[in-house]
């Protein structure tokens, strides 16, 4: 039986690369989800999907960074600076334990 040499993403040297890829990906998924929900007039917030996905794959702190960055970026794009306070909600969303 042949074994493959692999690098564990949680402890290996590529973790920084994975984090650098997953944070912008989570922000993009959040932005697209938010745009879909607002354009269709859905009574549900889809702008936390990327945060949950990143937190599930990379851990809660990386997910919290992704969610907070999304809220700050969307507040700057939308012109509603007080909307960046919802970053607290995304951070708390990632810190919920079973």
């Amino acid at each position: 039986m042949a074994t493959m040499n692999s690098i564990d993403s949680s402890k290996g040297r590529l973790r920084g690369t994975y984090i650098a890829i997953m944070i912008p990906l989570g922000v993009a998924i959040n932005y697209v989800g938010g745009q879909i929900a607002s354009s269709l007039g859905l009574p549900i917030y889809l702008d936390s999907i990327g945060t949950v996905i990143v937190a599930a794959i990379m851990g809660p702190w990386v997910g919290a960074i992704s969610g907070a960055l999304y809220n700050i970026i969307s507040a700057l794009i939308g012109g509603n600076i007080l909307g960046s306070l919802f970053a607290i909600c995304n951070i708390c969303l990632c810190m919920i334990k079973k």
Side-chain angles (χ1 to χ4, degrees):
M1 183 166 104
T3 60
M4 296 178 60
N5 292 333
S6 64
I7 297 174
D8 184 11
S9 67
S10 64
K11 296 179 184 167
R13 64 179 182 199
L14 292 178
R15 180 158 170 82
T17 304
Y18 291 139
I19 290 171
I21 292 170
M22 292 301 289
I23 289 175
L25 184 64
V27 171
I29 292 170
N30 284 344
Y31 188 76
V32 169
Q35 292 299 315
I36 289 172
S38 67
S39 67
L40 294 177
L42 298 176
I44 186 171
Y45 295 106
L46 298 176
D47 59 353
S48 295
I49 295 174
T51 303
V52 173
I53 291 171
V54 172
I57 294 172
M58 297 302 294
W61 291 107
V62 179
I65 292 169
S66 174
L69 279 177
Y70 162 71
N71 285 112
I72 293 168
I73 290 170
S74 67
L76 292 174
I77 290 173
N80 182 9
I81 301 301
L82 290 178
S84 63
L85 294 176
F86 284 103
I88 297 168
C89 295
N90 270 331
I91 293 170
C92 291
L93 176 73
C94 293
M95 299 302 157
I96 296 174
K97 306 240 184 208
K98 289 183 183 180

